Structure formats: structure tokens, C-alpha cells
Amino acid sequence: MSVVCEYCLALKFKDESKGMCCLQGKVKLEEILPPPEPLHSLLTGDHQKSKQFMRNIRRYNNAFQMTSFKSKQVVERGFMPTFKIQGQVYHLAGSLLPLRPDDHKFLQIYFIADPDIQASTRCSSVAQPIDRDLIRSLQDMLHSHNYYIQSFKTAIERIPADTPDFNVVIHANKVPVGEHRGRYNAPSTSEVAVVIAGQQFDKRDIVLHSRDDNLQKISELHRSYDSLQYPLMLCRGENGYAINISQVDPIGGTPLRKTVSCMNYYCYRIMTRRNNFNTLLRYGMLTNQYLVDQYAKIESERLAYIRNNQTKLRAENYVHLQDALQANEHVNGIGQLVILPSSFTGGPRYLHEKSQDAMTYVRNYGKPDLFITATCNPNWPEIKENINTNLSPQDRYDIVNRVFHLKVQKLLHLINKSHIFGPPRCHMYTIEWQNVVATCAPAGVYINKGSDQATFSIQSPNEVEKYQSGRYICSSEAVWRILSFEVHDRAPTIVHLAVHLENGQRVYFMENNIQEVVNNPRDTTLTAFFKLCAQDDFAKTLTYDRVPSYYTWNQSSKTFQRRKQGTAVDGFPSKNGCSWQSLHDSSQQQ
């Protein structure tokens, strides 16, 4: 990795995109400092117990985590160098103090007065044996350096002894609810505060009750979501992703109106940088868990947008919408909620659409001549020379995926540009992740398979819930998606054509624009084709499925426009279009 980003000093391969690491300077985050001792030596291999620590790194982190990691982990027989989960991921938090004196768990352990009893409780909280002396030294380190531990202890010490119940709040935005942001800049207000019963707080704030049996779900958008779950990775209590992180001007550094997305945030975090310890990339299997956790957060954010807008956006056939309004039906009873759309990568409609695209190529070109599989080899020198000596390739899926992505692009260049098999007429590929890997890393190229899914039935009409419950996410896929690498690619372009009866097209509406949709329905590709034929003599000579070969579809104006480049059409000298052999389309119902 010989290229250094001029903005964030990320190390990259020469053919990687310039904006992959920091959006060319628009993303600028506070760097995570190297950890204090003994953690630093344990991670670099300089500690006598480093190997034992790294083999059991997730157990050690579990002994110190302040929230519980709730998900179904997939454990397969034999060698499994990846971390994989099925379904959704939750971080759960209990009360600050236990109901029973001898029942301390998670965050509650930090408030045991005797440090030796505290260390013994941590050792007994994990299923497999761990080194008690190492636990004690790491425990002392966290008590000395972790901001949240210190803040919790300080807050509790200030509470009068006769106070029966209280709450401790970690503010999501470092600002009390209802107050102007400019009035409360750190350190003028505490980010961790004791509140009385009934006091208002932001819905994303973490509210920890003094004593109860209830568990609460921590918001993925809270800045302490990561540090409470991964205290050994973020041992000072460093902030994680929050929705109010602004992009900055690359030159002046002034904040921009646009915010940093969750994907941009974690893509920045997993970059190797010059003269930087790269803390998050040194934790082996715990890093793998962290990556899966963060991609689940990214995907959940996207699905939440779809789910939240389903209560507003509805769909119905145009003719049925007309009839419903004429019958004075209530808007809430018209149409169906919008389901998981084909634009959502990895969803069932997305995969179905890509399969239909493949069939379009077969219909126009015949069966494919070549079916090529490329699998990543973790022993490639580009991988081995860019990871630390005390780590293995399965500990650095960021490097494995980046190298494999470049190899795939090189392979495509050889086929499509260098024509090693002759000039190609079309191509399509997809990335998949293998279940168990022994000598090759979990990435490959099969057609339109996509991510693994569990096979079981869920009695729910909500497609978002069905998708989340059935999906699998492994470390390699998480990195691939965080880095925004494409899962599918194909050429030439395929235009999806709508097919429907008269006034039977699908329309989308909300309560505030339903009359406008009924009075002025937007054209589909089919209705626009009829209008095109009414005014264009050449279009009358074409069947519907051949129109995209000579006209482009303007999505904003919902009209077909003649192509400006291509082969002149015989008999129509003023009309330029591509020959039938160079562009093809699919005719399928949306």
C-alpha cells in the first residue's frame, strides 16, 4: 500500500478510489489513541501472555463489557476463522446496581468495592477459564482511564444514601433536552448525569435505572454504543458513530451542512494510516465481531428508514385508487404498505431483479460461453505483507477484501478490455461469501446468489422483519459492504420496462398528495411508449422491447428521448440510434 491519502494519511493501493477512506477530506474524525499498558503490549506481542490473550480476546472483552451483545451467533464445525451472526443485533443494558448483593453482572461489576472480588466476579462471568492476574491488571487500567467508568462512579457517589430510586443518563448529544446546543459545549455540562423520576430526556439517551430487573435496548445511534460493548477496544470511552457528525470542508475544515453517514464513519475507522497504531484493527476475532456489529448497525439504519416510511408511503393500482376516492374511502384504508424494495441490496426483490437481468442476456445472446469462479487466497503476498506479524489473514478481513476487490477488477479488465477471450458481448458477476474457509478467504464470484439466508417461516406480513430475521452476516461480508464494494455488476445496461393493463399501473402516494396522484398520474415506460408512437414515425416501427436500443429513458421527466450517439438508422437519417447488437433491454413488470 504505497499511496498515502493527502487528507487523512490512509495507506491505499494505487488502484483504489481516492475517496474511499475519507471522501477526499470531507470526513475527519478524532483519532483513537494507542491503548495504555498492559493492553498495548498484549496487542503488539511484547507481553508474555499475548498469545493466550489474543486466543481468548472475546472472552476477555466479555468480562469487561458494560452492555450485553444479543444476537444468534452461528458456530460451525471445524475451522471457522470468521465471526457470523444470524438475525438482528441488540445491545442491552440492565440497572446500575443489582437487586441482590451477590448477583453483579456487566456494568454492575465495576461498582464492587473490593478490587479482588471484582476481578474474581469477572472471571466467573465467562464460561471458559481466563487469567485472573491479567483480568486484575486490565481492570485497574480501565478504572484509571475509562471515562464512563469514572463518570458512573462519580455520579453514584453524589447521590444521597437515602435516595431509594434514581436514574443515570448518558446524553446522546452532550446537550440537555430543550436547550440550545451553543449553551452546552463541553465541559460546561456533564455527559453523564443523575436525573430524578419524570425528568425529560432525548429518546436516544441511555437511561440506566438504579435497581430493576428490566433490560433496555441501547440505540445504535448513541455515541457510546460501541465503547460500552467493546471496553478493551475503546478503553478510554471514545465516542462511536452519532447522527450529528458533520462533514467538513477539505480545505478550510469548516463544518458542512451534510453529515457523515454510518458507512462513511466506519470506513474511515478501519483504514490503516501512516504513523498510526490502528487500534481497532489489532484485536483479532474481537475485531471481526466489531465489524459484523457495525455493518448490522449500517443495515439497520437503512431498514429503519424503509420501515418508518411505510406508515406514510403506500402503493395501489391507479384504477383502484380512483375507485376508492370516488367511494369516499379513508386514505388509511387504501393501498398496501410499501415493502422491501428492489433497490435494497440483498433483498428478495433485488436478487429476483438481478436474476431476471441475467435471463435477459440469455434471451438476447444465448447461453454464456464462460462461467468463471475466482476465490481469494490468503497467502497472496499483497495480503501477508500488509498485516502485522502477530496476526493472521482471518484477523484482517479489511486487507483480504481490499486485495480481492482489486484482483476482481483486474480480472474484469483482462476480459473486457484486453479481450483475452475475445471481445465480450455482455458480462455479469456477483460476490458471495463461503460458509467455512480453511485455505482460501471467504469471497468468490457465483451468479446472483448473494448473502446466505436462513430457511424458515416467520408469521409476519412485514418483509423488513422477515429479511432481518433470516439474514446471515459474516466478517468478510461486513467489511466488503462497509467499504462500499459492489456486490453485483453487469454490462451492457438493462432497462426495466413496465407491463400493465390500462390504468393498472402501480402508483405511490401519501395522504397529502393523493389527489395530485389521481389527477395527474406519472407516465410509466409503457404509457410513455404509446405517447412516443403518437409523435415519432420511427418509434411506430419498433416493438416495445426494442425501444431502449434507440431511445433513453429520462427518469425525471418520464419520457423517452432519442439517443444522440450510435449508428444511423436506415430510412431515418435524422434519427441516430445504436444498432440492435450493441444495446439490449429487459421487458419485465416492476
Side-chain angles (χ1 to χ4, degrees):
M1 295 191 290
S2 58
V3 177
V4 180
C5 174
E6 61 178 304
Y7 300 104
C8 70
L9 303 182
L11 302 178
K12 296 189 290 186
F13 297 98
K14 66 182 181 68
D15 292 325
E16 288 184 307
S17 64
K18 292 183 178 179
M20 180 179 73
C21 51
C22 63
L23 294 181
Q24 293 185 285
K26 293 181 180 179
V27 178
K28 186 172 182 60
L29 305 177
E30 185 176 348
E31 295 300 327
I32 299 174
L33 298 176
E37 293 295 344
L39 188 54
H40 188 281
S41 296
L42 288 168
L43 296 176
T44 57
D46 297 330
H47 195 284
Q48 60 179 354
K49 298 181 180 179
S50 289
K51 291 184 178 180
Q52 186 264 353
F53 174 75
M54 292 304 298
R55 279 197 308 268
N56 300 280
I57 181 65
R58 291 187 60 238
R59 294 173 187 163
Y60 280 98
N61 185 76
N62 291 346
F64 291 101
Q65 63 188 8
M66 302 177 219
T67 56
S68 59
F69 182 88
K70 179 68 174 178
S71 185
K72 181 180 179 181
Q73 184 182 352
V74 179
V75 180
E76 296 162 342
R77 298 178 61 185
F79 179 62
M80 186 178 176
T82 186
F83 181 85
K84 181 186 288 189
I85 59 100
Q86 178 201 331
Q88 302 184 52
V89 175
Y90 301 104
H91 289 189
L92 303 176
S95 61
L96 281 170
L97 303 173
L99 289 175
R100 293 164 291 278
D102 298 327
D103 194 21
H104 291 78
K105 296 178 180 178
F106 301 106
L107 180 59
Q108 300 165 357
I109 301 177
Y110 286 95
F111 305 118
I112 297 176
D114 189 311
D116 290 324
I117 297 177
Q118 189 178 137
S120 300
T121 305
R122 295 189 190 283
C123 292
S124 61
S125 66
V126 260
Q128 301 295 327
I130 50 179
D131 190 285
R132 187 186 180 282
D133 293 334
L134 200 53
I135 285 288
R136 176 61 196 271
S137 59
L138 290 171
Q139 175 179 287
D140 293 341
M141 177 201 73
L142 289 174
H143 277 277
S144 300
H145 293 89
N146 191 282
Y147 164 79
Y148 286 108
I149 298 171
Q150 296 169 352
S151 298
F152 288 141
K153 293 171 67 175
T154 301
I156 291 179
E157 288 170 357
R158 292 176 179 174
I159 299 171
D162 57 348
T163 304
D165 295 301
F166 59 89
N167 296 332
V168 171
V169 175
I170 309 175
H171 295 296
N173 296 319
K174 305 183 183 181
V175 179
V177 173
E179 300 292 347
H180 190 273
R181 182 179 302 276
R183 289 186 57 200
Y184 289 92
N185 294 323
S188 60
T189 184
S190 176
E191 302 172 29
V192 177
V194 176
V195 298
I196 60 176
Q199 186 169 338
Q200 295 297 312
F201 42 81
D202 187 274
K203 64 180 180 180
R204 289 185 294 109
D205 288 348
I206 297 177
V207 182
L208 302 175
H209 302 287
S210 54
R211 282 185 172 91
D212 62 27
D213 277 334
N214 297 321
L215 295 176
Q216 65 161 314
K217 179 176 179 261
I218 305 299
S219 170
E220 299 96 335
L221 304 180
H222 198 287
R223 57 194 169 81
S224 68
Y225 182 87
D226 299 346
S227 57
L228 297 179
Q229 181 64 43
Y230 302 98
L232 292 186
M233 297 184 76
L234 302 166
C235 57
R236 293 180 177 86
E238 293 89 343
N239 288 338
Y241 171 71
I243 60 175
N244 58 349
I245 301 175
S246 298
Q247 294 186 13
V248 298
D249 179 79
I251 299 176
T254 56
L256 303 175
R257 295 185 63 182
K258 194 172 184 180
T259 57
V260 175
S261 71
C262 193
M263 180 174 287
N264 294 148
Y265 179 92
Y266 288 106
C267 189
Y268 184 99
R269 283 298 187 210
I270 64 173
M271 286 291 129
T272 301
R273 289 183 166 80
R274 189 176 63 183
N275 301 325
N276 186 281
F277 189 73
N278 309 118
T279 300
L280 299 181
L281 302 177
R282 292 179 175 265
Y283 286 82
M285 189 57 72
L286 185 61
T287 295
N288 290 340
Q289 175 183 332
Y290 174 84
L291 293 170
V292 170
D293 198 353
Q294 305 319 324
Y295 177 67
K297 180 192 299 185
I298 293 170
E299 193 176 76
S300 295
E301 189 177 30
R302 293 173 176 168
L303 291 171
Y305 176 83
I306 295 173
R307 185 189 299 109
N308 293 337
N309 283 274
Q310 283 185 347
T311 59
K312 302 176 183 177
L313 188 63
R314 306 178 76 85
E316 183 56 278
N317 290 343
Y318 178 68
V319 64
H320 295 160
L321 183 60
Q322 279 185 316
D323 295 341
L325 288 183
Q326 290 175 2
N328 293 322
E329 292 186 21
H330 194 275
V331 175
N332 292 336
I334 304 174
Q336 67 178 39
L337 297 179
V338 176
I339 44 188
L340 198 60
S342 61
S343 59
F344 182 81
T345 303
R349 282 174 178 76
Y350 174 89
L351 296 176
H352 176 74
E353 187 176 273
K354 294 299 180 285
S355 298
Q356 292 295 313
D357 292 347
M359 294 303 100
T360 298
Y361 287 152
V362 173
R363 183 169 65 249
N364 288 286
Y365 296 117
K367 298 178 180 179
D369 296 298
L370 296 171
F371 185 90
I372 301 174
T373 299
T375 305
C376 182
N377 183 353
N379 291 316
W380 279 334
E382 298 92 338
I383 294 176
K384 301 194 75 172
E385 68 188 16
N386 283 295
I387 61 175
N388 304 100
T389 54
N390 61 326
L391 297 176
S392 57
Q394 59 262 27
D395 297 325
R396 290 294 304 275
Y397 280 109
D398 58 314
I399 297 296
V400 170
N401 277 267
R402 289 167 66 181
V403 170
F404 182 71
H405 179 258
L406 290 173
K407 298 277 189 180
V408 170
Q409 300 309 309
K410 290 291 185 182
L411 176 60
L412 290 172
H413 187 275
L414 287 172
I415 297 173
N416 293 325
K417 303 297 183 182
S418 300
H419 297 172
I420 60 173
F421 299 119
R425 305 179 72 187
C426 67
H427 83 268
M428 175 178 283
Y429 78 84
T430 191
I431 301 295
E432 71 163 2
W433 291 269
Q434 299 172 5
N435 289 331
V436 179
V437 182
T439 59
C440 294
V445 183
Y446 299 134
I447 190 76
N448 298 320
K449 176 184 179 293
S451 304
D452 288 338
Q453 290 274 303
T455 313
F456 60 93
S457 176
I458 300 176
Q459 300 301 319
S460 172
N462 191 314
E463 283 198 354
V464 174
E465 292 181 2
K466 287 184 179 180
Y467 173 80
Q468 284 187 299
S469 299
R471 69 176 176 183
Y472 286 102
I473 303 176
C474 67
S475 310
S476 185
E477 180 181 5
V479 175
W480 190 273
R481 301 295 299 276
I482 289 173
L483 295 173
S484 300
F485 293 156
E486 58 281 346
V487 178
H488 298 274
D489 185 49
R490 61 192 179 18
T493 302
I494 295 175
V495 179
H496 298 142
L497 299 178
V499 179
H500 56 82
L501 298 175
E502 184 178 4
N503 291 330
Q505 68 267 37
R506 205 72 165 163
V507 292
Y508 298 89
F509 61 93
M510 293 187 292
E511 186 174 357
N512 60 354
N513 71 346
I514 187 170
Q515 288 293 343
E516 180 185 351
V517 171
V518 170
N519 296 331
N520 299 292
R522 305 193 74 182
D523 280 321
T524 66
T525 53
L526 183 59
T527 57
F529 168 64
F530 294 146
K531 291 182 179 179
L532 179 68
C533 291
Q535 61 186 15
D536 192 312
D537 291 336
F538 176 67
K540 296 177 183 179
T541 67
L542 301 175
T543 55
Y544 181 39
D545 60 317
R546 296 187 62 191
V547 171
S549 295
Y550 302 92
Y551 299 85
T552 61
W553 174 247
N554 189 309
Q555 185 65 28
S556 59
S557 64
K558 301 294 183 182
T559 59
F560 281 109
Q561 299 172 350
R562 70 181 67 169
R563 291 188 179 275
K564 297 179 180 180
Q565 296 181 347
T567 306
V569 179
D570 294 337
F572 296 88
S574 62
K575 302 285 193 300
N576 286 334
C578 293
S579 64
W580 175 236
Q581 285 74 24
S582 61
L583 278 180
H584 292 275
D585 60 272
S586 68
S587 179
Q588 65 184 62
Q589 187 172 358
Q590 294 281 34

